[in-house]
Amino acid sequence: MRDGGDAGAVEELYRRHADVVLAYARACCRDPHTAEDMASEAFTRTVQAVRDGQG
């Protein structure tokens, strides 16, 4: 995943953590669409941080 070439690793990260990340986002937001956006942004930033060597 660090080198940007392992889409399977990103999929596995999402599969393992999507439910709990979305549940947390829903606890933080009243609007379900905002919660989904927040969870998506969290995954996007996490993947980018790892690819940039920060994770």
Side-chain angles (χ1 to χ4, degrees):
M1 191 167 109
R2 287 189 195 280
D3 299 329
D6 192 356
V10 175
E11 290 173 16
E12 182 65 17
L13 177 75
Y14 184 83
R15 186 188 67 74
R16 288 185 184 188
H17 301 286
D19 291 340
V20 70
V21 171
L22 185 55
Y24 182 76
R26 285 180 178 150
C28 295
C29 303
R30 293 182 184 180
D31 177 45
H33 298 292
T34 302
E36 290 173 13
D37 288 346
M38 178 187 275
S40 177
E41 185 69 19
F43 277 106
T44 299
R45 289 181 183 217
T46 298
V47 169
Q48 191 59 51
V50 170
R51 287 182 176 162
D52 291 344
Q54 300 172 2

